[in-house]
Amino acid sequence: MKVLIALASIVGFLMVVLPGPLYQFAGVSLGTAFTSLRFGVYVGGAALILIILQVLINRKSVSWGSTFIYAAMALVAVGMPVSMMSKASAVPPIHDITTDVTNPPEFVAIAPLREGAPNPVSYEGGDVTKQQLEAYPEIKTQLLPQSINEVYIAAERTIDALGWERVTVGALPNTLEATDTTTWFGFKDDVVVRLTVQNDDTLVDVRSKSRVGKSDLGKNAQRIDAFLFELRNQLGYH
């Protein structure tokens, strides 16, 4: 049983941890990567059952150090995909979030980089807008009492502080575009920030859109929130 526990724990752990790097660096398809995640849960679950049986049946002969390590690996194998599924069920299956759903900021500089991406650069609207408004009512245009030049400079610093890659060639005036690469799978999500003068104030609109995937697990809304929070920090609000 000890061999089975070790094998199931290690295999389940690798089936869950490796799909991201393999997709990002080795060209493994996204479908294959997600299939590995799904079956990794089963293998990890089997390892946990075996560990429980071993503790109940052969408690006196259990090597607690190795058992703890194998249990931790099995928990990762089960926990990571289950957490992802839980997030997916808690948010709408959309991947394009914007503060202005009637006139969303337009991707221009980034558009050529998205050629061939499963998710087109255009804004779908309709049901996507409805789902966003229901799930993220706090995502809306921000009015800041600073000049557009001051906000623009702060927005540049914000993008740099968040570790995004700025894309500037061909961008519209008073607009910044950037790409955020996720750590695990290396997904490319794109952001456009549009600044508009309103008297002596500045309107800030942000749009974040994933290149792949139907659901973003709430990541784009989180990214917009993170940008607006850091922007206010750069302007001295916090």
Side-chain angles (χ1 to χ4, degrees):
M1 184 176 286
K2 291 181 179 179
V3 174
L4 284 176
I5 290 173
L7 184 62
S9 299
I10 294 171
V11 170
F13 178 79
L14 293 177
M15 289 179 71
V16 167
V17 172
L18 289 182
L22 290 176
Y23 169 80
Q24 186 174 176
F25 302 113
V28 172
S29 71
L30 192 58
T32 300
F34 283 160
T35 298
S36 178
L37 283 172
R38 184 168 65 252
F39 283 100
V41 174
Y42 303 146
V43 177
L48 288 174
I49 292 173
L50 290 173
I51 290 171
I52 293 171
L53 289 175
Q54 183 190 45
V55 171
L56 293 175
I57 298 172
N58 300 315
R59 185 180 183 86
K60 293 182 179 180
S61 62
V62 170
S63 174
W64 292 105
S66 60
T67 299
F68 176 80
I69 293 173
Y70 294 141
M73 296 175 74
L75 286 171
V76 170
V78 174
M80 288 179 63
V82 169
S83 176
M84 292 173 63
M85 289 186 287
S86 177
K87 289 180 181 178
S89 65
V91 298
I94 56 178
H95 53 261
D96 192 352
I97 307 297
T98 176
T99 57
D100 186 349
V101 296
T102 59
N103 181 30
E106 181 183 0
F107 290 108
V108 176
I110 279 175
L113 302 179
R114 294 183 64 102
E115 289 184 3
N119 296 333
V121 72
S122 59
Y123 182 70
E124 184 176 341
D127 192 49
V128 170
T129 297
K130 180 182 178 181
Q131 291 183 75
Q132 178 194 314
L133 293 176
E134 291 176 352
Y136 311 113
E138 75 284 358
I139 301 292
K140 54 188 177 181
T141 302
Q142 301 294 298
L143 176 65
L144 299 179
Q146 280 88 13
S147 70
I148 193 168
N149 290 334
E150 186 177 354
V151 176
Y152 189 94
I153 293 171
E156 288 183 316
R157 292 199 302 263
T158 297
I159 290 173
D160 294 340
L162 293 172
W164 303 347
E165 179 184 357
R166 274 195 264 168
V167 182
T168 58
V169 178
L172 296 174
N174 299 321
T175 301
L176 298 99
E177 299 183 49
T179 297
D180 182 21
T181 303
T182 63
T183 303
W184 186 18
F185 270 83
F187 291 136
K188 301 285 187 180
D189 296 343
D190 299 310
V191 182
V192 54
V193 180
R194 182 183 66 202
L195 307 180
T196 308
V197 174
Q198 185 176 83
N199 299 320
D200 294 328
D201 303 325
T202 301
L203 295 175
V204 181
D205 283 298
V206 188
R207 180 182 173 196
S208 181
K209 183 179 178 74
S210 304
R211 295 188 191 182
V212 300
K214 182 177 181 181
S215 174
D216 62 7
L217 307 184
K219 184 64 177 179
N220 286 301
Q222 294 171 11
R223 184 176 292 110
I224 291 175
D225 284 338
F227 175 86
L228 294 174
F229 180 87
E230 181 60 27
L231 177 63
R232 291 177 180 276
N233 184 54
Q234 292 291 338
L235 289 168
Y237 289 6
H238 302 297

